Structures are given as C-alpha cells and as structure tokens.
C-alpha cells in the first residue's frame, strides 16, 4: 500500500484527500519510482476545478500531478536503459502526488549527482515547457527582443534565464517585490506591472510570452513588431486580429515539437546546465503530502516567486 492524494469530484482544495491505495506495478516498458519530490503546477488546480472538463474530462478518482523526481524501485521486464536505485526525473500520466508512481522510460532522465531532487522536479514541469515555448514554438534567436510576462513565476523565471542564455534582449514583467529578483535572473529590463504600463516601456518586440491572459494579453498586441509573434499559453488568439496587426499568433499547447531523440536530450541538457550553475531553479515553498491543500491555495494566488513542490520522501 502507499499514501496518495486523490480527487473524487471537481471542486476546491478541499477535494484533495489523502488516502491509502495499492502501490502500482510497472508495465513491461515502465519503471516504478519512489517519489521524493512532486511539482505543484497551475494546471493541477485548474484541472481539479474542472476548467478543462469539456475537452479533457477527469476519470474519477484520480491522483493529481505530473512531474516528479525520485528513485527507481523496480523496472519493467523490457527495460534495459535504467536499473533499480537510480535517481531520475520525468513525467507520469498516472499522477505524482503519491509515494510511488509508474512512468514509461521514454521521457525519463537521470538526475545529475550535483542536482537536488527539488531542482530536478522543476525540469519536466517548468524548464522543459519554457525551453520548448521559447525555442521550438516561439523561434527565439540571439539578438531577438522577448517580453516575458509573470517573469518571477515557476515558468517565467526559467524562460528569462534561457532567453538570456540564447543571447536575446529580455524584458520581464512582475510585481514590486520581485523586480530585483528578475534582474538577478538576467533580465535587461524589468517592468513593475503594479506601477508601470508595460506597453509604454516595451515596443518592437519579436516575441511575447503570455502566461496571464485577460487584459495583460489584450494589451500585449500593441508591443509586437510587424512579423513578430504573440504566444499565449492560457488563451486562444484571433487569427483575424493577427492579420490586422501583421503578426503571428500561436495557440496554447501548440508546440512545434522536436524529434523524439531531441526531446530526450533537452531535459538532460537542462539538468547539466543547472548542475553547472548556468541556470538556477528557485523553489517558492515546500509542502508535505498532507499539506497539499495549502500548496494548491498558494498556487492559486498566482503571485509566487519560483515553483511550489511537495516533499514526499527524504
């Protein structure tokens, strides 16, 4: 048996219940992982609220979470690339707010010794999406000007660093408390959205990354240069409006995915960059498994610095 968090029906954080359920068994091409750390992503609480039920309905009861870092406890009969006792990170569709999960070996990566489990868990849930959004979907190149909204958040803080590493001119928006933090990440210009209008300080931007939506997205149209790209990961964008502004728009979740081989290499490259100190991942707050409701409440405020994680094993 194992401890796990389950959701029985759509609703608020009170729907996150700690239960005892049977430990899963890995299939032939899977591994069983003892989870040390699980990432708490905005998607997790939006899914729990039922925001995606029209196109991705939940199969209740389900275990929330997708990103994990931990130790392999058992390998499936066809697994040759990994063995028991290895520290790994990756994603699982079986849920990760639990003491154990099973995951396919495709998409699993070895954790460098110098990397903590906390740092490693931010790669599949934050760093990899940021990398793909900037480079494979957004086409960001050296010398480009990029505007990243919510630059202090779990996604934004890594996007800022990757964009700077690539050689782009980076503009970030954040609240007053996070201005110095975003500058420290490498941003060239930081705009405090509580006291300044970003559209008055940013113009001729090659790429805008919107993670906020609403008025922030609406006001972003005017700062993109002709031929530039507006990319939102939270809202649909009008192609008609894009033609009028002479810019490109990209729908949420529409990634120009690299080859499977490349997709396997990128998380390992990011892990190495983190281990060498080129990129840093900041943890906002750590919670224990039984404190999961508090973790979701904090995530829902949307004003954190860095990523929220669940500590499940030591």
């Amino acid at each position: 048996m194992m401890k796990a968090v389950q959701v029985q029906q759509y609703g608020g954080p009170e729907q996150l219940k700690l239960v005892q359920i049977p430990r899963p068994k890995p299939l032939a091409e899977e591994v069983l992982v003892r989870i040390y750390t699980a990432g708490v992503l905005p998607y997790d609480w939006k899914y729990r609220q039922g925001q995606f039920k029209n196109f991705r309905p939940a199969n209740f009861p389900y275990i929330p979470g997708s990103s994990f870092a931990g130790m392999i406890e058992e390998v499936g009969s066809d697994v040759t690339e990994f063995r028991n006792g290895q520290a790994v990170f990756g994603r699982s569709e079986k849920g990760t707010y639990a003491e154990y999960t099973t995951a396919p070996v495709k998409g699993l990566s070895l954790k460098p010794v110098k990397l903590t489990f906390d740092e490693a868990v931010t790669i599949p849930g934050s760093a990899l999406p940021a990398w793909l959004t900037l480079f494979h979907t957004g086409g960001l190149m050296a010398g480009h000007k990029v505007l990243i909204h919510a630059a202090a958040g779990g996604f934004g803080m890594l996007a800022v660093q990757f964009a700077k590493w690539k050689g782009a001119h980076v503009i970030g928006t954040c609240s007053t408390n996070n201005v110095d933090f975003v500058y420290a990440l490498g941003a060239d210009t930081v705009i405090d959205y509580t006291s300044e209008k970003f559209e008055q300080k940013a113009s001729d931007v090659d790429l805008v990354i919107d993670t906020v939506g609403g008025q922030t997205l609406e006001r972003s149209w005017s700062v993109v240069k002709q031929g530039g790209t507006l990319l939102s990961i939270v809202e649909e964008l009008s192609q008609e409006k894009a033609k009028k502004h002479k810019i490109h728009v990209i729908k949420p979740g529409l990634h120009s995915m690299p080859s499977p081989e490349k997709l396997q290499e990128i998380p390992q490259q990011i892990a190495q960059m983190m281990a060498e100190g080129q990129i840093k991942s900041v943890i906002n707050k750590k919670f224990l498994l039984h404190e999961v409701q508090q973790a979701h409440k904090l995530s829902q405020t949307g004003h954190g610095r860095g990523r929220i994680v669940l500590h499940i094993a030591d």
Side-chain angles (χ1 to χ4, degrees):
M1 301 294 283
M2 69 171 185
K3 288 179 188 171
V5 173
Q6 280 190 341
V7 176
Q8 306 282 344
Q9 63 184 42
Y10 292 125
E14 72 281 354
Q15 296 300 333
L16 298 159
K17 312 279 188 176
L18 192 60
V19 296
Q20 286 269 0
I21 58 172
R23 186 194 300 185
K25 291 285 290 180
L27 299 174
E29 294 183 351
E30 291 183 333
V31 296
L32 175 71
V33 177
R34 185 183 184 209
I35 299 176
Y36 280 49
T37 311
V40 176
L41 306 177
Y43 178 88
D44 300 345
W45 59 261
K46 289 176 183 178
Y47 191 75
R48 186 248 304 148
Q49 286 180 340
Q51 291 190 27
F52 310 122
K53 62 184 174 186
N54 290 337
F55 56 91
R56 198 176 176 191
N59 184 17
F60 296 111
Y62 74 88
I63 300 170
S66 58
S67 58
F68 67 84
M71 300 285 286
I72 296 177
E73 290 250 331
E74 188 182 339
V75 298
S77 57
D78 293 346
V79 175
T80 55
E81 311 96 302
F82 295 92
R83 63 179 187 275
N84 289 1
Q86 288 181 316
V88 293
F89 63 88
R91 294 189 83 118
S92 171
E93 293 184 357
K94 313 284 180 65
T96 57
Y97 293 11
E99 290 180 312
Y100 294 87
T101 195
T102 54
V105 290
K106 199 178 268 188
L108 200 64
S109 301
L110 288 173
K111 180 184 78 66
V113 174
K114 287 184 179 178
L115 212 60
T116 66
F117 286 101
D118 283 352
E119 290 169 324
V121 82
T122 66
I123 297 173
S126 303
L128 180 60
W131 180 290
L132 293 175
T133 300
L134 286 170
F135 306 134
H136 291 277
T137 308
L140 187 71
M141 306 286 285
H144 278 179
K145 192 189 287 188
V146 60
L147 169 61
I148 299 167
H149 289 302
F155 176 98
M157 67 167 178
L158 288 154
V160 166
Q161 294 175 81
F162 288 142
K164 195 63 193 168
W165 166 81
K166 191 73 172 177
H169 179 92
V170 183
I171 307 164
T173 66
C174 63
S175 63
T176 311
N177 292 341
N178 289 321
V179 169
D180 290 343
F181 171 68
V182 176
Y183 270 124
L185 294 173
D188 298 285
T189 304
V190 182
I191 301 169
D192 177 357
Y193 67 77
T194 67
S195 61
E196 305 170 291
K197 289 190 179 296
F198 66 82
E199 62 269 38
Q200 293 176 356
K201 295 193 73 174
S203 60
D204 290 325
V205 175
D206 294 281
L207 176 65
V208 174
I209 305 289
D210 166 58
T211 61
V212 182
Q215 279 301 307
T216 299
L217 175 58
E218 198 56 39
R219 288 160 46 210
S220 295
W221 288 86
S222 64
V223 307
V224 185
K225 70 190 265 187
Q226 283 191 15
T229 302
L230 175 57
L231 191 159
S232 176
I233 63 172
V234 291
E235 285 189 31
E236 292 285 338
L237 295 163
S238 163
Q239 291 290 346
E240 270 183 44
K241 198 169 178 181
K243 282 180 187 172
K244 184 181 166 188
H245 283 264
K246 296 180 180 173
I247 68 171
H248 305 287
V249 293
I250 297 172
K251 293 179 181 179
L254 185 64
H255 284 305
S256 167
M257 296 299 277
S259 66
E261 294 76 24
K262 193 73 179 164
L263 203 51
Q264 194 75 24
E265 289 171 15
I266 295 169
Q268 212 65 60
Q269 182 182 348
I270 294 170
Q272 206 52 49
M273 290 169 75
M274 282 187 181
E276 291 169 2
Q278 295 181 59
I279 300 290
K280 63 179 178 181
S281 186
V282 176
I283 302 302
N284 178 352
K285 194 157 185 187
K286 305 168 189 179
F287 292 92
L288 299 176
L289 194 57
H290 71 268
E291 298 172 320
V292 64
Q293 293 184 9
Q294 294 156 255
H296 270 224
K297 285 174 185 173
L298 177 60
S299 182
Q300 283 178 225
T301 65
H303 296 293
R305 175 189 295 186
R307 182 55 72 209
I308 300 166
V309 299
L310 292 176
H311 269 203
I312 299 168
D314 297 324

